[in-house]
Amino acid sequence: MPQRLSTPSLHAHVALVTGATRGIGLAIAHALAAQGCNLILTGRDEQALRRIGRELKSPKIQLLAHPCDVRDPQSIDDLFRAARRQFKRLDILINNAGIAHANLTVDKLPLPLWKDVIETNLTGPFLVTQAALATMKRGGTIVNNLSIANRVFAGMSAYIVSKHGALGLTNTLREELRPKGIRVIALLPGATNTDIWNTFWPQAPRKKMMSPATVAAAVVNAILLPPNATVEALEILPTAGLL
């Protein structure tokens, strides 16, 4: 008789999703909740967090919606203090929080805007991951949303640099955490229909884009692999390719 494979499940696992109030982060939160995964959801918009918390509330899962600014170490400390009060473990970390900037060449990009993008997209995942590793055990998974924009596009220097740096951080983390049995996935989504396009290309052809739910489904499928297998780089593009 052939051996029957058990159906993978994230029931009773605990996942932290940053930037969880919209776009890919919100879609991943929904996909994880559908798997029975307990959730720690965070973002800077407290009103949106409360709304998402009500939207995802279910007797089947535990949920903590707590505001956090990933640029601020104290805010991150407050988040993890609240998380430890409700949960004794962390199985999955989704570093999704990120911002873009208007299409500006290097000579016209203001330093405060450069710093804000770098601190959110690069320093933020570094700080959140540092805090998460204190409670993450063997079998855990870290997913860093890096965007296909680790390639080069003119006028997007701060965003591109932040994503290149975050890819380097992700690849380094993966090597450091292999002995501990913690998987690290670089999520590299192409054009996805989210609000971020309004920042630098409001007229982008959204009908050619993927939905956030499509990206979220791919992420959850990667997490559901057995602990001894890792999708190290998850690159997913619209069939139309790069826009």
Side-chain angles (χ1 to χ4, degrees), residues 48-195:
L49 269 179
R50 287 194 293 270
R51 184 184 71 250
I52 301 307
R54 292 192 298 269
E55 185 178 307
L56 287 172
K57 186 177 180 181
S58 164
K60 297 180 180 179
I61 67 170
Q62 295 184 55
L63 187 147
L64 170 65
H66 194 284
C68 179
D69 183 343
V70 299
R71 302 169 299 178
D72 180 3
Q74 183 58 57
S75 183
I76 293 169
D77 286 346
D78 292 343
L79 168 66
F80 277 88
R81 191 176 300 111
R84 286 192 297 270
R85 282 197 296 265
Q86 185 163 341
F87 302 103
K88 303 302 181 186
R89 57 192 278 191
L90 180 65
D91 303 291
I92 300 163
L93 169 62
I94 310 290
N95 277 313
N96 171 76
I99 59 172
H101 58 85
N103 196 297
L104 295 167
T105 54
V106 170
D107 58 317
K108 294 181 172 63
L109 184 66
L111 179 58
L113 183 54
W114 166 276
K115 287 183 175 181
D116 195 23
V117 173
I118 298 296
E119 288 174 4
T120 303
N121 296 0
L122 178 54
T123 306
F126 167 76
L127 293 172
V128 174
T129 300
Q130 270 196 332
L133 288 175
T135 54
M136 187 172 282
K137 307 299 183 184
R138 180 172 294 274
T141 303
I142 298 172
V143 180
N144 290 340
N145 187 2
L146 306 175
S147 160
I148 202 65
N150 62 79
R151 303 178 188 183
V152 175
F153 299 93
M156 296 295 296
S157 59
Y159 187 75
I160 298 299
V161 168
S162 71
K163 295 300 183 178
H164 272 81
L167 179 58
L169 172 64
T170 301
N171 291 338
T172 304
L173 265 175
R174 186 182 302 114
E175 297 308 314
E176 291 180 352
L177 296 178
R178 284 190 200 278
K180 298 181 179 181
I182 296 175
R183 305 180 299 181
V184 180
I185 299 172
L187 173 61
L188 305 167
T192 306
N193 189 3
T194 68
D195 291 344

